Amino acid sequence: MAPPKPVLLLPLAVALCCLSALAAATDGGNGKPLVTAITRDAATKLYTAPLKDGRPLVLDLSGPLIWSTCDPKHETLQCHHPECAHAHRYHPPGCPHNGYGKPDDDDPYRCKCTAHPYNPFARKAATSDMTRATLSANATDGRNPLGPVSFAAVASCAPESHLAKLPAGAVGVAGLARTRLALPAQVARTQKVAGKFALCLPSGGQGVAIFGGGPLFLLPPGRPDVTTALAGTTPLRRNPESPGYYISAKGLAVNQAQVPLPAHGPSLIVGLSSRFPYTVLRPDVYAPFVKAFDKATAALKRVTPPVAPFELCYDSRELGSTRLGYAVPQVDLMLDGGRNWTVFGGNSMVQVNDNTACFGFLKMKEEKGRHGGGPAPAVVIGGFQMENNLLVFDEEKQQLGFSGLLFGRQTTCSNFNFTLAA
């Protein structure tokens, strides 16, 4: 008997290829990282990205999940859905424990999953449906966007009232923390890319975030990939009470002289938070730190009284200027592993008016539940000190990489080329 002729194999292969290409164009980036622009809102000092139908979500390094307002008719997840338990891993402060879900209004025999989206800026929690939201960004080669990519992400709904104190036009929050339901982990799973992201917060204009690994090139042309030319890396630490990002340090230095701090064990715990506009220090650490900077700048002309909320302010007309900002003593966070996170004038001095610049570090407020119920870290690095400093959060290697202030490389976080590649 003659063997059967494979006449249908080629059409079938073509059909499968076309279906695969269609799926990649609509639901995936074909294994490429995703890029999005970042905008700093002047009124709230928060950072947003246009991730939901072109509308902004606030980027929250401490947020465990994605939440936004929803259409009245929206999909809901059932209580036994695998992601439902993950939505309840970190419980927001002041929110009652009321189980994983509630009966579906349309089907009393169906339990629909609920979550507790938390607005840390209004200090409000809600109980709302878990759903799937369509998010969008652009695939990238690290130099330009290559084309739009939309993908479904597990998210929580939230009422309109939950948008209080967010930037105008924002429709929710994109949590970036170290959880399964945060944006970086969902991008890694849906796009089949690396479990890491690069964050470059702008001081003005548009910054950039790349989810799924590098490279990342900033203008002018000919500059090396910033992700491979980092100033240093340091291990990421976990906090059982909070899903955010933590590192550890051996101490602080001002003008290369170590600041005498109270006994703190082998390491200082340091958090990173886009919720805080400026770096905050625990009171027992803040007092000797500010005293050291005050002493190191004794010859500089002060502005009194200082401009709230800052403690030390200076006549900026009398401050020298360098490529790295005002010529003031550098601040070093002396990290475990031997590297320093160095803060120069460009990230330490806040221009509050035409003639006044203030030292942009504040005393931490002691607020119950602010840090997940555990002890407060010694330092929480805020947005201003992260601006124009590429940060690479690498969950696979459990480490944080940092470029240092990009002014020293004659570029900024606003120098990514968002022109669509030809």
Side-chain angles (χ1 to χ4, degrees):
M1 179 182 293
K5 296 180 180 180
V7 292
L8 297 178
L9 292 182
L10 183 58
L12 180 61
V14 172
L16 289 173
C17 180
C18 291
L19 286 172
S20 176
L22 179 62
T26 56
D27 294 322
N30 199 23
K32 290 189 178 297
L34 300 185
V35 65
T36 186
I38 300 175
T39 301
R40 181 182 185 271
D41 180 66
T44 62
K45 299 180 178 64
L46 299 175
Y47 306 91
T48 65
L51 294 166
K52 192 170 189 291
D53 303 320
R55 294 176 294 174
L57 296 178
V58 175
L59 300 178
D60 182 6
L61 281 170
S62 305
L65 49 76
I66 303 163
W67 63 262
S68 70
T69 53
C70 292
D71 293 331
K73 294 291 185 180
H74 55 265
E75 175 188 358
T76 59
L77 304 185
Q78 295 192 55
C79 293
H80 63 260
H81 191 283
E83 306 296 15
C84 192
H86 290 285
H88 293 261
R89 172 64 181 86
Y90 294 96
H91 207 75
C95 185
H97 290 266
N98 52 10
Y100 283 7
K102 61 183 181 180
D104 193 322
D105 293 337
D106 298 324
D107 182 356
Y109 297 101
R110 179 181 185 268
C111 176
K112 65 177 181 179
C113 180
T114 58
H116 304 293
Y118 180 60
N119 180 334
F121 316 106
R123 312 286 173 81
K124 290 172 58 178
T127 299
S128 298
D129 296 341
M130 285 297 288
T131 186
R132 293 186 189 277
T134 300
L135 303 183
S136 58
N138 279 277
T140 184
D141 59 2
R143 298 181 185 275
N144 300 86
L146 300 178
V149 173
S150 296
F151 60 98
V154 175
S156 173
C157 293
E160 288 279 347
S161 61
H162 219 51
L163 302 179
K165 297 194 176 180
L166 298 189
V171 295
V173 169
L176 304 180
R178 306 178 72 184
T179 67
R180 181 176 172 82
L181 296 186
L183 180 63
Q186 295 207 57
V187 170
R189 288 197 304 277
T190 61
Q191 307 305 302
K192 297 178 173 55
V193 292
K196 61 181 177 179
F197 69 99
L199 191 68
C200 210
L201 298 179
S203 54
Q206 287 188 327
V208 59
I210 291 184
F211 297 91
L216 174 62
F217 296 93
L218 298 173
L219 297 173
R223 302 285 173 152
D225 170 16
V226 188
T227 66
T228 62
L230 298 173
T233 61
T234 192
L236 284 169
R237 309 297 186 191
R238 288 198 178 273
N239 180 339
E241 302 293 337
S242 169
Y245 295 90
Y246 297 88
I247 55 178
S248 52
K250 296 179 179 177
L252 292 165
V254 172
N255 213 19
Q256 299 183 318
Q258 189 162 354
V259 177
L261 298 177
H264 53 75
S267 296
L268 295 168
I269 302 302
V270 179
L272 294 96
S273 177
S274 53
R275 297 176 178 180
F276 294 95
Y278 308 105
T279 293
V280 296
L281 298 92
R282 207 173 55 219
D284 60 317
V285 177
Y286 176 81
F289 172 66
V290 168
K291 182 179 179 181
F293 193 84
D294 187 28
K295 181 179 179 181
T297 56
L300 300 179
K301 185 178 179 181
R302 299 289 200 281
V303 171
T304 55
V307 179
F310 306 106
E311 185 171 333
L312 298 176
C313 293
Y314 304 85
D315 186 335
S316 58
R317 296 168 297 182
E318 304 292 325
L319 298 177
S321 183
T322 75
R323 191 171 67 181
L324 299 173
Y326 284 124
V328 296
Q330 72 184 51
V331 170
D332 286 297
L333 188 61
M334 304 160 63
L335 302 174
D336 281 354
R339 294 287 187 173
N340 287 353
W341 179 320
T342 301
V343 181
F344 297 101
N347 282 130
S348 68
M349 303 302 294
V350 181
Q351 195 75 42
V352 296
N353 59 46
D354 289 345
N355 301 322
T356 306
C358 299
F359 189 49
F361 295 79
L362 301 175
K363 183 190 298 185
M364 185 182 295
K365 295 179 181 178
E366 298 183 26
E367 298 175 20
K368 186 177 180 181
R370 188 70 178 260
H371 305 283
V379 180
V380 178
I381 300 172
F384 185 75
Q385 279 72 35
M386 291 188 277
E387 289 176 357
N388 295 306
N389 183 352
L390 178 72
L391 302 177
V392 179
F393 298 85
D394 191 332
E395 195 63 28
E396 295 180 355
K397 293 183 179 178
Q398 303 278 298
Q399 70 180 23
L400 171 73
F402 52 95
S403 68
L405 185 60
L406 291 170
F407 295 173
R409 307 186 192 199
Q410 297 181 309
T411 191
T412 73
C413 283
S414 297
N415 280 353
F416 184 79
N417 187 355
F418 279 102
T419 304
L420 196 66

